[in-house]
């Protein structure tokens, strides 16, 4: 089986970090992480960068610790390949910015950089991402664990440009883009060069909600709410006629797509409907992490610190999430797991896929809502609006074509699966 190539567009974030760790824990035969592109979302993008650099710092220390104690080193793909790290969007395309620091903490990891400063590297790496300092320079970086391994390649270019570069440098249909934050970087890349963007094999999106309540408004999931215009623009590329679902925009730098595109985007949507069924309990986590903490694992100490904050927050926000029964939904790791195991026949889309799912961008109470047509009406062949079909919902030539994922190989055991992958 050919090695998979993936881009992770992310706003780390607690479950984002778990998702990245899951990808990097794979073997080099399984996957190569080409790029980690960062966006605002759960927190400000500068804090996302700090969290990713800290993650690489901890992984270097963890591999060194495992080697010294005779444990399998793991994280083979990280040791075989150096992902590029690029900083992207600081703000949504048009909407007022909303962050999720109420859940993740101001720094995105429950205040870990203040409470556990010995787990955070010095800030000497910041200039490596500063475009005003040697803007053409690009070099691998060692974050200070002393292992001799270079962890990542910093880029001084905006993340959306790095997404396009990565897609240009790889054959069409060989790179999967896993997007687990607001879709701003993707929308910017698609606006700048839609044909290059469409070289992607598929885009795997954690976002939206269809048949259950939202998590930031009654109808809205965080990622789709945080930049509804970006989500709507990316979704529109799945349409045979993207102009039929492209949202109205006030931004001059967001032109309409060309009238003719070479292909439609394949987009796999993982809404809350499926991701909320994949959980990790505090009891499962504690049973795995306690012996590793006692043995001195740097990764166990780091993850345990921000997960303690997470479970306390869950207790405060959700009735019934108490003690070992508290459950963290693994929204973002599910998407990475799909990218790693997409050939498993137990991954299944909804029976109605591909579906015409559109993102509401203008509503006062419905921003970010995933709208579907629940009317039982005949489809029509025309592509001109009529009084009986405002919005071209019934046209066979219009509308989006979203593959909404509905079933996975192991919903009930995914928490244990990710613990095993990360900690062995």
């Amino acid at each position: 089986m050919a090695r998979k190539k993936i881009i992770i567009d992310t706003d780390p974030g607690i479950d984002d970090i778990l998702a990245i760790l899951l990808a990097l824990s794979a073997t080099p035969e399984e996957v190569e992480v080409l790029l980690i592109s960062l966006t605002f979302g759960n927190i400000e993008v500068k804090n996302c960068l700090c969290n990713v650099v800290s993650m690489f710092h901890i992984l270097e220390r963890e591999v060194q610790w495992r080697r010294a104690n005779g444990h399998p080193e793991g994280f083979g793909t990280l040791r075989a390949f150096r992902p590029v790290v690029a900083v992207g969007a600081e703000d949504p395309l048009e909407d007022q910015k909303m962050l999720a620091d109420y859940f993740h903490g101001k720094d995105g990891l429950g205040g870990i950089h203040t409470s556990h400063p010995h787990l955070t590297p010095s800030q000497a790496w910041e200039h490596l991402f500063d475009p005003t300092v040697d803007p053409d320079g690009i070099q691998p970086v060692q974050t200070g664990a002393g292992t001799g391994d270079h962890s990542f390649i910093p880029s001084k270019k905006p993340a959306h440009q790095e997404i396009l570069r990565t897609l240009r440098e790889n054959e069409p249909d060989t790179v999967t883009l896993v997007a687990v934050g607001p879709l701003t970087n993707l929308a910017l890349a698609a606006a700048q060069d839609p044909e290059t963007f469409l070289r992607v094999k598929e885009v795997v999106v954690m976002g939206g909600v269809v048949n259950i309540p939202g998590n930031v408004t009654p109808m809205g999931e965080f990622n789709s709410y945080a930049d509804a215009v970006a989500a709507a623009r990316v979704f529109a590329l799945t349409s045979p006629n993207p102009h039929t679902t492209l949202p109205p925009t006030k931004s001059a730098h967001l032109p309409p797509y060309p009238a003719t595109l070479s292909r439609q985007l394949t987009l796999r949507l993982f809404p809350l409907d499926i991701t909320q069924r994949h959980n990790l309990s505090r009891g499962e986590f504690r049973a795995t992490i306690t012996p590793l903490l006692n043995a001195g694992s740097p990764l166990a100490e780091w993850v345990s610190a921000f997960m303690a904050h997470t479970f306390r927050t869950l207790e405060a926000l959700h009735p019934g999430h108490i003690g070992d029964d508290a459950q963290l939904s693994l929204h973002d790791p599910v998407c990475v797991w799909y990218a790693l195991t997409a050939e498993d026949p137990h991954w299944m889309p909804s029976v109605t896929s591909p579906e015409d799912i559109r993102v509401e961008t203008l509503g006062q109470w419905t921003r970010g809502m995933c709208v579907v047509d629940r009317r039982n009406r005949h489809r029509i062949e025309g592509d001109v609006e009529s009084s009986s079909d405002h919005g071209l919902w019934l046209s066979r030539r219009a509308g989006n074509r979203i593959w909404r994922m509905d079933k996975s190989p192991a919903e009930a055991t995914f928490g244990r699966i990710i613990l095993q992958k990360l900690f062995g």
Side-chain angles (χ1 to χ4, degrees):
M1 186 179 300
R3 180 174 64 244
K4 298 177 174 68
K5 298 179 180 182
I6 65 174
I7 296 169
I8 303 177
D9 190 78
T10 177
D11 56 337
I14 288 161
D15 58 328
D16 302 73
I17 286 290
L18 295 178
I20 300 169
L21 288 171
L22 177 60
L24 297 178
S25 72
T27 68
E29 293 75 26
E30 291 175 307
V31 70
E32 177 181 0
V33 180
L34 301 171
L35 169 66
I36 299 173
S37 55
L38 303 177
T39 177
F40 84 96
N42 291 319
I43 49 174
E44 300 285 1
V45 72
K46 64 180 181 180
N47 292 329
C48 294
L49 177 60
C50 181
N51 292 344
V52 167
V53 172
S54 295
M55 178 196 70
F56 283 115
H57 170 69
I58 291 297
L59 286 176
E60 288 180 357
R61 290 177 54 185
E62 177 72 7
V63 169
Q64 185 182 40
W65 176 82
R66 291 183 184 185
R67 186 182 297 142
N69 287 275
H71 301 306
E73 294 177 9
F75 298 96
T77 192
L78 175 60
R79 291 183 288 114
F81 309 108
R82 295 179 306 229
V84 173
V85 175
V87 180
E90 297 180 2
D91 299 288
L93 296 179
E94 294 185 3
D95 298 318
Q96 181 180 358
K97 180 158 64 177
M98 173 185 177
L99 303 175
D101 49 9
Y102 66 91
F103 182 85
H104 296 267
K106 290 292 184 182
D107 67 358
L109 295 178
I112 194 172
H113 303 301
T114 301
S115 63
H116 295 69
H118 62 289
L119 299 178
T120 301
S122 71
Q123 302 298 300
W125 47 266
E126 287 185 332
H127 73 282
L128 298 167
F129 296 90
D130 185 349
T132 66
V133 180
D134 188 19
D136 296 322
I138 187 167
Q139 59 181 328
V141 170
Q142 183 177 340
T143 58
T147 63
D149 295 329
H150 296 298
S151 295
F152 63 90
I153 300 173
S155 173
K156 299 185 180 186
K157 295 181 179 179
H160 73 277
Q161 293 183 12
E162 284 292 353
I163 290 173
L164 292 172
R165 177 196 60 79
T166 303
L167 294 174
R168 286 190 196 102
E169 293 180 358
N170 289 272
E171 292 296 318
D173 295 318
T174 61
V175 177
T176 296
L177 203 170
V178 183
V180 294
L183 297 185
T184 316
N185 288 335
L186 279 67
L188 290 171
Q192 180 173 320
D193 189 344
E195 286 295 346
T196 295
F197 187 77
L198 290 172
R199 291 168 64 93
V200 72
K201 180 180 179 180
E202 62 182 3
V203 174
V204 179
V205 172
M206 192 282 119
V209 60
V210 178
N211 293 314
I212 63 174
N215 60 2
V216 292
T217 70
M219 307 303 297
E221 175 276 333
F222 176 81
N223 287 339
S224 60
Y225 183 93
D227 197 339
V229 171
R233 286 184 64 91
V234 174
F235 281 30
L237 286 171
T238 70
S239 174
N241 290 291
H243 72 276
T244 62
T245 64
L246 203 62
T249 177
K250 301 183 289 292
S251 302
H253 68 287
L254 293 173
Y257 296 128
T260 303
L261 291 170
S262 62
R263 61 195 296 184
Q264 294 168 233
L265 177 68
T266 299
L267 191 149
R268 306 269 176 184
L269 183 65
F270 284 75
L272 295 183
D273 307 57
I274 181 172
T275 62
Q276 281 190 349
R277 304 199 301 261
H278 295 75
N279 298 295
L280 171 63
S281 74
R282 178 189 262 147
E284 289 176 318
F285 180 75
R286 183 173 50 78
T288 296
I289 215 74
T290 299
L292 294 169
L293 285 171
N294 294 335
S297 161
L299 182 61
E301 183 183 5
W302 191 62
V303 174
S304 179
F306 64 72
M307 288 293 283
H309 162 87
T310 303
F311 287 120
R312 287 195 301 270
T313 303
L314 286 168
E315 285 185 325
L317 291 176
H318 300 288
H321 285 260
I322 300 172
D324 281 353
D325 293 331
Q327 300 267 343
L328 172 66
S329 293
L330 300 169
H331 305 292
D332 298 341
V334 174
C335 296
V336 167
W337 188 35
Y338 167 80
L340 300 177
T341 64
E343 67 282 352
D344 190 318
H346 293 95
W347 288 109
M348 296 178 63
S350 67
V351 295
T352 51
S353 289
E355 298 173 82
D356 185 3
I357 301 176
R358 311 187 195 182
V359 179
E360 173 58 54
T361 62
L362 299 177
Q364 179 181 4
W365 309 118
T366 56
R367 168 178 154 187
M369 175 183 177
C370 284
V371 182
V372 297
D373 188 354
R374 304 184 189 277
R375 299 172 296 175
N376 183 20
R377 298 177 64 180
H378 292 296
R379 306 284 284 176
I380 59 177
E381 296 298 331
D383 56 2
V384 178
E385 275 197 341
S386 68
S387 58
S388 61
D389 185 26
H390 180 66
L392 293 172
W393 286 92
L394 302 177
S395 171
R396 297 183 189 276
R397 302 178 191 175
N400 296 330
R401 305 288 189 272
I402 305 293
W403 293 91
R404 177 170 64 88
M405 302 306 291
D406 188 52
K407 296 185 183 300
S408 80
E411 292 179 7
T413 58
F414 184 53
R416 292 193 291 275
I417 289 172
I418 194 170
L419 290 173
Q420 192 279 327
K421 293 289 187 182
L422 269 54
F423 298 106

